[in-house]
Amino acid sequence: MIQKTGSIHVYFQRNKGHLVGVILCSILAGMGETMWAFVFQKIGELPGDMTKAAILRLAGVLFYYAVSQNACAYFRRTFLKRINIQLKRDVFDAVLDQDMIQFTSNNSGMYLSILNNDVTNLENNYFAKIPEIIQQSFVFLGCLAVLFCYDSRVAGMVLLTVWIPVAVPFLFGKQISKAEGRVYRSLEQYTGKLKDFFGGFEVIQSFQIEKETEAIFGNYVKDVEESRYHARFCESSGEVLALSLTYGTLFVQILFCAWMAAKGNIPANAMLSILYLLSSINNPVQNAVQAFLSVKSARPNVEKVEKLLAKPEKRTHPSVDRK
């Protein structure tokens, strides 16, 4: 018997081994980001051309960075592949497990829409974003720890100001979720109507109602694109605000560092590394905020799929991917 899911989070539990791999590789990737600070410090100490030691350090960091990033990408790809196989099979089985009355109470286009649209959006804007948030979190923590080693005063100021863009998902999350919900309701209607049109192709030809059909189809297309336009407007507004707040915060942090350097509190050979760390701390926050906005936008898909998967299962489908 298929394991009853109900909650979409069960797929993280089923693939906890690969999720642990993502987390471990994210830690390694975060360490790789911090190593660049020491490379820039070495460059800042050089009076002239690159020395052999600096070149070797650069080559070592490049090698480590490439290996850690590729390992992280591998586990993320494998993680998503397994989840997609499991989720699509579970959704399909949940449809088959309904009795005839339940199945016929909905247009079959709804089920096609879930398998094609909702599941795809869950992959792109939910399951793919969780590992990204994890990786960005470790990059943030690693670079912040190194910044504390350079200057605790700068790190403390950064720690106080870097959270400003995080407010964006709380300001726009609800609007984005509602807008995306409208998109997938209109896509469901569009898919169902498209199926009806193709299924009734002979009737349309026999009664010569092509123009009427085209007009009806055009209305559904317009509704889908208008809902998408509104969703994109909400998403882009949130992203622009988050990006503006990130750059504004970074500007304040750089001004503070410049003031500290002018007073002689920051060594000149450390400035290049500190500026790199500032960027490497703010960029993960910006990326995580955008990922959070994507997760918020996927909420309607989560609710729809969870509602379908909450129905009891009847059939047995052995599969190595359903461990």
Side-chain angles (χ1 to χ4, degrees):
M1 179 177 289
I2 303 166
Q3 183 181 4
K4 183 177 179 179
T5 56
S7 173
I8 209 75
H9 299 105
V10 75
Y11 294 100
F12 292 108
Q13 298 172 9
R14 289 185 185 179
N15 300 279
K16 53 182 176 292
H18 286 77
L19 184 59
V20 169
V22 170
I23 294 173
L24 292 177
C25 288
S26 296
I27 295 174
L28 295 176
M31 292 173 60
E33 294 285 350
T34 63
M35 289 180 180
W36 287 106
F38 300 106
V39 172
F40 288 124
Q41 180 184 0
K42 191 66 178 177
I43 293 174
E45 294 172 354
L46 296 177
D49 296 333
M50 296 282 285
T51 65
K52 183 179 179 180
I55 294 174
L56 289 175
R57 179 178 295 189
L58 175 61
V61 171
L62 282 172
F63 178 77
Y64 178 89
Y65 183 81
V67 171
S68 61
Q69 290 291 336
N70 276 290
C72 194
Y74 166 77
F75 276 100
R76 288 175 65 176
R77 289 196 308 268
T78 308
F79 178 72
L80 288 175
K81 174 186 172 182
R82 290 175 61 88
I83 285 182
N84 283 333
I85 292 173
Q86 296 164 4
L87 181 58
K88 288 179 179 178
R89 292 190 63 178
D90 284 348
V91 169
F92 184 75
D93 289 342
V95 174
L96 294 183
D97 285 331
Q98 297 182 97
D99 56 38
M100 186 59 67
I101 296 176
Q102 289 176 316
F103 181 82
T104 55
S105 63
N106 297 304
N107 190 310
S108 58
M110 183 194 79
Y111 303 117
L112 291 173
S113 179
I114 291 177
L115 279 167
N116 290 327
N117 299 321
D118 294 276
V119 171
T120 299
N121 195 55
L122 281 177
E123 174 195 354
N124 296 331
N125 291 335
Y126 191 81
F127 290 115
K129 297 302 179 181
I130 300 300
E132 181 178 340
I133 292 172
I134 292 173
Q135 181 177 1
Q136 297 300 327
S137 299
F138 283 112
V139 172
F140 166 78
L141 292 173
C143 292
L144 184 63
V146 174
L147 185 59
F148 265 106
C149 295
Y150 275 101
D151 194 294
S152 59
R153 293 162 298 184
V154 174
M157 189 275 298
V158 170
L159 192 58
L160 289 174
T161 57
V162 76
W163 304 107
I164 295 174
V166 178
V168 174
F170 298 97
L171 296 174
F172 285 84
K174 190 173 182 180
Q175 294 93 323
I176 291 175
S177 181
K178 286 183 177 180
E180 287 292 335
R182 182 188 168 192
V183 169
Y184 285 94
R185 285 192 298 272
S186 62
L187 277 173
E188 181 182 309
Q189 295 173 353
Y190 169 82
T191 304
K193 188 57 65 174
L194 194 61
K195 179 181 176 297
D196 291 341
F197 287 154
F198 289 154
F201 182 79
E202 186 177 350
V203 176
I204 295 172
Q205 290 287 318
S206 300
F207 287 90
Q208 297 182 345
I209 53 173
E210 292 89 346
K211 290 185 178 180
E212 292 82 352
T213 303
E214 289 173 0
I216 296 172
F217 176 74
N219 289 333
Y220 278 96
V221 171
K222 183 179 179 181
D223 185 57
V224 168
E225 294 308 319
E226 285 182 349
S227 60
R228 277 179 169 164
Y229 174 85
H230 180 64
R232 287 168 183 157
F233 171 78
C234 294
E235 290 175 7
S236 61
S237 298
E239 290 173 358
V240 168
L241 178 59
L243 191 61
S244 300
L245 290 174
T246 298
Y247 281 125
T249 302
L250 181 59
F251 179 73
V252 172
Q253 294 168 357
I254 291 174
L255 281 181
F256 181 79
C257 289
W259 177 71
M260 292 282 288
K263 293 181 62 177
N265 294 324
I266 297 179
N269 62 354
M271 275 300 297
L272 194 59
S273 296
I274 290 176
L275 291 176
Y276 165 77
L277 289 170
L278 289 180
S279 176
S280 297
I281 288 171
N282 284 276
N283 284 338
V285 173
Q286 165 64 17
N287 294 335
V289 167
Q290 292 184 349
F292 272 120
L293 288 173
S294 297
V295 170
K296 288 282 189 181
S297 72
R299 190 62 207 169
N301 310 106
V302 171
E303 293 173 351
K304 188 185 295 185
V305 171
E306 284 184 340
K307 182 179 179 180
L308 180 61
L309 294 179
K311 299 182 182 298
E313 293 86 351
K314 300 176 184 178
R315 262 179 271 304
T316 299
H317 276 292
S319 173
V320 294
D321 289 318
R322 285 196 182 125
K323 294 179 180 179

